[in-house]
Amino acid sequence: MQTVDVLVVGAGLAGLRTARLLARRGLSVMVVDRRRSLSTGIRTTGIFVRRTLEDFDVPDHLLGPGIRDVLLYPPSRRAPIRLTSDRDEYRVADMAAVYEHEHRAAESAGARVLLGVRYVDASMGFVRFADAEPVTARFVVGADGARSRVARDLGLDVNRRFLVGAEIVHPIASGTTVPAFHCVLDPRIAPGYLGWVIDDGRYAHVGVAGYPNAMRTGIRHLLDAFAADAPGGTPPAGPVERRGGPIPVGGVLRRLACPAGLLVGDAAGAVSPLTAGGLDPCLRMSELAAAVTVGYLRTGDQRVLSRYDGHALRTRFRGRLLLRRVFAGIRSPAAAEAAVTALRGRAGRALAARILFGDGSFPEVSSRLADLAIDHPHR
């Protein structure tokens, strides 16, 4: 039976990035994912914010043009609020290409990536799969999405508050539009969240998300109805792809690690409760998770795991969790119209700009990384 230092379950961005960092530090790492191709089952729009691109090595050729304009619409779709930054605030990635890049990077670092292998369960370091021989692992990293099975098997916290999102993605004719991010606040099509069109001049992403129990006609019907007359919508110039899945919005989970393993990405609830953005926290938490895993496996000191504690990170989310509750309470078109009207003033525009263009999408983890380097300089 094969034995590895770390088994990573899930070959999304969080899993592959964590695997790469662990393998670079000399650990034997295996990654498994039930998908046979990383270009299928994509569940993210792929919007990278400026702060992420400043701090992480996402190859430029995998990213679309920069986007500086955001238009916020009320349910009536009349007189949207336009916010314009003097910098490129968003770039939309080709996520299939991003995953393939991370796949190659993880394997180049020494990790072994097995696709078409479905995780079944783990107990006392013994891990079973549906399509492969079992392995023994000193440590298991759960990067298996919002409804993580690894979290349940390790006795860690699980996500309980979700939005569900869906979108269509298609190429558009070049030179026909100016890159922009259109956001529609309308509880009839996106209860508790937004409908969106993000167009970077190459591809258009048209989507909706909201609380599933409030989507009486089903998310696919709502998406199709929204796409039929979405502001900023552009006719497809090529094949149309559909994406969708659950989005955890309860904030970072409290209990993220134990002596048997830890959680990263959506499995850890590492998604902004307000904006539902998960790519920036995914990368930041992966760095911290890798450092904690290395420190723990090299020393056997369980106190190292306390560096990966969701309690402290959740304190940075208090304001966003409060705004999430306010957002969730907007359940009628009249309330949505009033909310957009409140954002038209100077204070409202400043708040909207801070949320959309600010640097606080996810708590900084560099101080915890620095502490780990001090405690374990040999890493």
Side-chain angles (χ1 to χ4, degrees), residues 130-148:
D131 312 293
E133 293 297 315
V135 301
T136 57
R138 296 174 61 198
F139 205 69
V140 179
V141 172
D144 54 334
R147 293 190 172 97
S148 171

Side-chain angles (χ1 to χ4, degrees), residues 71-81 181-186 194 231-232 336 340 344:
L71 289 87
L72 180 61
Y73 298 77
S76 64
R77 317 284 176 89
R78 293 192 295 268
I81 300 169
F181 193 174
H182 304 265
C183 301
V184 179
L185 181 60
D186 186 346
L194 298 167
V340 174
R344 295 187 186 279

